[in-house]
Amino acid sequence: MKSQLEQIKINAVAEINAAETSLEEIRIKYLGKKGELTAILRGMGSLSHEERPIIGAIANEVRNSIEEALEIRGAELKKLALAKSLVDEKLDVTYNAVNPVAGHIHPITRALERMTEIFIDMGFSVAEGPEVETVTNNFDALNAPADHPSRDFQDTFYITESTLLRTQTSPVQIRAMRGMTPPIRIISPGRVYRSDVADASHSPMFHQLEGLVVDKGITMGDLKGILSQFAKTMFGPETKTRFRPHKFPVTEPSAEVDVSCFVCGGKGCRLCKGEGWMEILGSGMVHPEVLRAGGIDPDIYTGFAFGMGVERVAMVMSGIDDLRLLFENDARFLKQF
Ligand code: DAH
């Protein structure tokens, strides 16, 4: 048994010292539950009283030697692996770097940010509303009951019978009025949806910027003043504004607003399609029924509102004549602006 133990020690240490990778298999082979040394120790029951402590001591010595060899070789292998990885994974920090492609602000985002900034400078604050809106806020409270023809124009994506993807940012007017007492001076930029087929001037999703002012004694003069000033700041100090009578359920009276073409100054060019003017928004004096739906007494307060097409403004700013180009997200195209 003694010579068997000696042999195990010699074999194990030789194997350990020759190992190139993991030592775990060798450890299991000798010291594991079913290992060679363990097998010998199990057989010690058959030894005499005198022999047992002697063989036991040798077995312990063999175990210690194997463990020590494992430890020493383990440390060596670790060092070797580190040296190898330092060579293999060498990083050349002087190598020419590939420049990361920096992002680019989208023309719609840029227009939205600029528009928002101008109104904030005029004392407006920003209000938000959800894109999934109630049918009531989107239509009924805005003076467009179930049989109103404007509902057909704004046919959209219904979530349930009573909720939909909002067709306009105007429902934020209702939310703002219900949540505030006048004076109210808010804008609300955001996405709106209509079941339109995409073409050069239509998209099933687009952006609007809503505006609402409610206070005592607000008149059409305030509306004209604010929007004319906005147009001058946005498109240049020479910009003229034209108010054309129109019909919206939310307002009475209503006006569509055109700005003089900032490319030709009103003479007519390719950008304004020879008109000299470009339409950018709908507006008017808030209808008394809409004030009432917002919990505001129309005998005390009046207000004006407007809804601006953000894509329109972005296209005018950037001289883009097809709306689809803004949504195709071809970086080569968008990088120009
Ligand atoms: N919500 C209208 C639309 O999408 C635009 C509009 C017109 C908004 C007049 C207004 C307004 O606030 O006063 O067609």
Side-chain angles (χ1 to χ4, degrees):
M1 207 172 243
K2 189 177 161 195
S3 63
Q4 255 179 313
L5 282 170
E6 291 293 345
Q7 197 54 50
I8 286 177
K9 177 174 150 184
I10 292 165
N11 291 349
V13 171
E15 266 180 62
I16 289 167
N17 288 338
E20 289 295 341
T21 52
S22 167
L23 298 172
E24 187 56 13
E25 262 175 44
I26 304 177
R27 193 189 64 77
I28 292 170
K29 179 173 170 194
Y30 293 100
L31 308 180
K33 265 192 203 150
K34 294 178 187 155
E36 291 184 20
L37 183 65
T38 319
I40 302 250
L41 293 176
R42 280 216 185 96
M44 277 174 57
S46 61
L47 294 177
S48 68
H49 259 317
E50 296 79 41
E51 278 178 313
R52 222 177 275 168
I54 301 167
I55 298 296
I58 297 172
N60 262 342
E61 193 266 322
V62 170
R63 165 179 283 277
N64 289 343
S65 301
I66 295 175
E67 278 175 351
E68 196 183 335
L70 281 169
E71 208 169 294
I72 292 170
R73 185 63 185 156
E76 274 172 13
L77 287 178
K78 237 190 218 165
K79 256 196 219 159
L80 286 173
L82 178 65
K84 184 171 160 15
S85 77
L86 283 176
V87 172
D88 290 353
E89 296 162 24
K90 194 162 69 180
L91 191 70
D92 181 357
V93 291
T94 66
Y95 196 78
N96 281 346
V98 180
N99 281 338
V101 183
H104 182 74
I105 306 238
H106 194 281
I108 294 177
T109 311
R110 217 179 38 170
L112 251 180
E113 285 177 354
R114 181 73 188 121
M115 292 156 84
T116 304
E117 201 174 76
I118 294 172
F119 283 108
I120 285 176
D121 284 350
M122 292 197 283
F124 285 72
S125 51
V126 176
E128 284 188 67
E131 287 174 34
V132 175
E133 189 45 283
T134 61
V135 173
T136 312
N137 282 352
N138 192 81
F139 287 128
D140 302 84
L142 294 170
N143 204 26
D147 56 357
H148 198 280
S150 71
R151 287 204 181 193
D152 293 339
F153 293 129
Q154 301 196 4
D155 195 17
T156 188
F157 307 95
Y158 279 76
I159 308 293
T160 63
E161 287 262 308
S162 58
T163 52
L164 43 63
L165 288 181
R166 65 180 180 187
T167 63
Q168 46 188 347
T169 42
S170 302
V172 186
Q173 290 188 30
I174 300 297
R175 291 176 177 272
M177 287 191 280
R178 288 199 187 129
M180 302 164 85
T181 42
I184 296 170
R185 221 185 284 138
I186 55 116
I187 52 162
S188 187
R191 290 198 182 102
V192 301
Y193 303 82
R194 297 189 190 174
S195 59
D196 281 335
V197 176
D199 65 21
S201 54
H202 292 87
S203 161
M205 186 284 293
F206 57 102
H207 298 75
Q208 287 187 336
L209 183 130
E210 193 76 16
L212 173 70
V213 171
V214 180
D215 202 357
K216 286 180 183 150
I218 296 291
T219 69
M220 193 89 182
D222 298 307
L223 164 68
K224 290 179 88 171
I226 289 284
L227 292 178
S228 307
Q229 186 53 50
F230 165 79
K232 284 187 186 354
T233 317
M234 188 81 201
F235 302 112
E238 306 302 322
T239 311
K240 291 198 256 322
T241 333
R242 181 169 80 172
F243 291 75
R244 277 182 292 104
H246 200 78
K247 175 92 191 106
F248 294 111
V250 260
T251 41
E252 183 60 39
S254 304
E256 274 192 327
V257 178
D258 304 332
V259 291
S260 59
C261 176
F262 69 98
V263 172
C264 63
K267 284 193 218 72
C269 69
R270 204 181 68 87
L271 187 65
C272 60
K273 305 206 167 65
E275 294 273 320
W277 296 95
M278 288 178 294
E279 182 207 321
I280 58 160
L281 62 89
S283 67
M285 298 304 292
V286 183
H287 196 288
E289 284 305 325
V290 175
L291 287 173
R292 236 173 245 130
I296 286 176
D297 185 347
D299 291 330
I300 303 176
Y301 295 104
T302 51
F304 71 79
F306 56 89
M308 212 174 293
V310 178
E311 278 75 4
R312 263 245 127 88
V313 173
M315 286 164 79
V316 168
M317 273 171 79
S318 314
I320 297 171
D321 59 5
D322 190 325
L323 181 58
R324 286 168 292 196
L325 292 167
L326 286 173
F327 294 120
E328 279 168 359
N329 286 340
D330 182 338
R332 290 166 307 176
F333 172 77
L334 295 173
K335 254 202 320 233
Q336 303 173 78
F337 305 102

